[in-house]
Amino acid sequence: MMDEYHIVNDCKEQLCFISNQFETEMKQARKTRKGFREFDREFLLPDFVNTFHGTVRLPEPLQWKKDAEEEKQIRMKIECQQKRSSGEKKIQRKNIMENAGANDGMCTETTQISQESKTTTNSVQSKSNNNIKSPDKKPRRGKRADVDTVNNEAENCDHEAMDDSESEEESDQQRLHRLKQMREEERKRREQESLERQALAMSVERFAIPEVLFRPSDIGLDCGGIVEAIAESIDACDTIYRAAMYNNVLLVGGNAKIPGFRERVEVELRKLAPVNYPVRVYLPDDPVSFSWEGAKQFAMQPDFQEKFTIDRISWKAMKSAGKDQKEIWGGRICNRL
């Protein structure tokens, strides 16, 4: 494995991250069994037949835990929808019954008025000619008919609410069924991968390996970390430039893409910088090629060769005259600054 540089590098790029609380996470890792830690992952090695790149998956215990939490959320959502639909049905029935009560009051008043008018009409008709027939009256809609109509409306509303809730529950049930199918497919896939591909278990190594960039003494190197190197480089410059350099730290290179790298550098550099100096650390979109792009733009200046280059003959002549690097380039750099 150690001889396969591309595989190890692919594993590092996909899994490694920088921890801001290294000691705390190491203590928590000692208390938890491997495979159950929240940062545990498995790196599936490529088989170089179907794939040439490794893939990352959760360990089986963490995958079970994730599926159980997702299933619990779906069940809670179904229960909430059932409670909400039942509450809406109660409110609808209450509104319908209130409307029915108002309609009953209006029917009672109408009945009283119609009875009074009927009495008056009968007295008038008794005095009139018996041969004259009164016109036919339209059948009056009674209280019983109104109540039946209201009940039918309530039943229709109940059926509509039930249909809506059933459709929502059906979609959630389908989602729950799909989750169980995915779990079964995941189990079969793991069994197949265990036969065809090897898995590399990664736990504390995910953040312990890049920690060497900040603490080289962990692997026996007697030197400072990357933050100490930045501070020493800035302190080696003239005093008038230090504040501006602490305020303009640029990270380049592939390691700058490790998650948490910029935040860790900024936090630790703030501890080493003077209190009155602002500290800002920048991470470009593509730190791998950013320095090359900057050098290309710098070299494309019209007066680049005149100010920042020297021909080989002049270089050899200056070296033979006993001039050092500072004497050769000092005047050009100072004029540029």
Side-chain angles (χ1 to χ4, degrees):
M1 272 296 299
M2 297 303 296
D3 296 334
E4 299 291 341
Y5 167 76
H6 296 287
I7 297 178
V8 175
N9 187 64
D10 186 21
C11 179
K12 183 200 76 171
E13 291 179 352
Q14 293 194 47
L15 291 174
C16 285
F17 66 94
I18 304 295
S19 174
N20 290 326
Q21 298 177 347
F22 180 76
E23 298 294 341
T24 303
E25 292 189 355
M26 288 297 292
K27 290 179 181 178
Q28 292 179 353
R30 295 189 189 100
K31 299 177 182 178
T32 309
R33 191 171 61 179
K34 187 175 182 180
F36 291 85
R37 302 163 186 163
E38 60 180 8
F39 46 76
D40 286 355
R41 296 294 185 273
E42 291 181 354
F43 183 75
L44 294 174
L45 303 177
D47 56 5
F48 297 103
V49 176
N50 299 317
T51 178
F52 291 88
H53 297 280
T55 56
V56 180
R57 73 179 183 187
L58 288 172
E60 197 168 0
L62 292 182
Q63 186 66 43
W64 289 347
K65 182 179 179 181
K66 180 182 177 182
D67 294 341
E69 290 177 354
E70 187 173 355
E71 183 177 350
K72 182 179 178 181
Q73 291 178 358
I74 295 174
R75 293 185 183 279
M76 290 176 62
K77 183 180 178 181
I78 294 174
E79 292 177 359
C80 291
Q81 288 179 350
Q82 290 176 348
K83 291 179 180 179
R84 185 171 63 250
S85 61
S86 62
E88 291 176 354
K89 287 190 289 184
K90 290 180 180 179
I91 293 173
Q92 289 178 355
R93 289 191 64 86
K94 183 178 179 182
N95 294 333
I96 292 172
M97 296 306 294
E98 289 177 354
N99 294 332
N103 293 331
D104 291 343
M106 294 177 62
C107 290
T108 304
E109 294 177 358
T110 305
T111 303
Q112 292 177 355
I113 294 171
S114 62
Q115 288 178 354
E116 292 177 356
S117 62
K118 183 178 180 180
T119 305
T120 306
T121 304
N122 291 333
S123 61
V124 172
Q125 287 180 352
S126 61
K127 295 178 182 179
S128 63
N129 191 0
N130 293 327
N131 295 327
I132 300 175
K133 296 182 179 179
S134 60
D136 296 336
K137 294 181 181 180
K138 295 182 179 179
R140 182 178 56 83
R141 184 177 180 179
K143 177 179 178 181
R144 181 62 183 175
D146 292 336
V147 173
D148 293 339
T149 304
V150 170
N151 291 333
N152 292 332
E153 292 178 357
E155 290 178 358
N156 293 331
C157 292
D158 291 343
H159 287 306
E160 292 176 359
M162 288 175 65
D163 293 338
D164 295 337
S165 62
E166 286 177 358
S167 61
E168 293 177 357
E169 292 173 7
E170 184 179 0
S171 62
D172 290 329
Q173 292 293 344
Q174 289 178 351
R175 184 180 175 188
L176 187 61
H177 181 66
R178 185 174 65 255
L179 180 61
K180 292 180 179 179
Q181 287 182 342
M182 290 173 59
R183 185 184 301 176
E184 183 64 22
E185 292 175 358
E186 176 70 15
R187 185 185 64 80
K188 294 180 180 179
R189 185 178 65 82
R190 284 176 179 271
E191 293 178 356
Q192 186 68 20
E193 287 178 347
S194 63
L195 297 175
E196 297 179 355
R197 301 175 62 182
Q198 295 179 345
L200 179 63
M202 298 288 290
S203 184
V204 295
E205 298 85 3
R206 294 184 63 194
F207 58 88
I209 292 173
E211 186 69 18
V212 176
L213 296 172
F214 299 90
R215 297 164 54 171
S217 58
D218 291 350
I219 57 174
L221 296 179
D222 188 13
C223 61
I226 188 170
V227 178
E228 288 80 3
I230 295 173
E232 290 177 2
S233 301
I234 295 175
D235 292 340
C237 299
D238 294 336
T239 309
I240 58 174
Y241 303 125
R242 292 177 185 174
M245 297 185 75
Y246 273 111
N247 197 34
N248 292 275
V249 179
L250 179 67
L251 301 177
V252 295
N255 287 330
K257 298 176 70 175
I258 299 177
F261 187 83
R262 187 196 69 82
E263 292 80 4
R264 177 73 176 272
V265 171
E266 190 170 27
V267 168
E268 295 201 0
L269 190 61
R270 175 69 273 175
K271 298 176 182 178
L272 300 178
V275 179
N276 58 334
Y277 286 177
V279 175
R280 288 193 299 177
V281 180
Y282 297 95
L283 180 64
D285 295 333
D286 187 10
V288 176
S289 62
F290 191 81
S291 57
W292 183 87
E293 292 289 342
K296 184 182 74 171
Q297 293 181 9
F298 181 71
M300 290 177 66
Q301 299 181 77
D303 55 351
F304 173 77
Q305 290 186 349
E306 297 177 0
K307 291 185 177 181
F308 302 103
T309 63
I310 188 171
D311 59 274
R312 183 180 293 273
I313 298 174
S314 301
W315 172 267
K316 289 182 178 180
M318 291 180 183
K319 293 294 288 183
S320 61
K323 292 184 179 181
D324 57 7
Q325 295 276 354
K326 188 174 182 180
E327 292 175 343
I328 295 174
W329 298 104
R332 295 173 182 268
I333 295 175
C334 290
N335 293 333
R336 178 62 181 173
L337 294 175

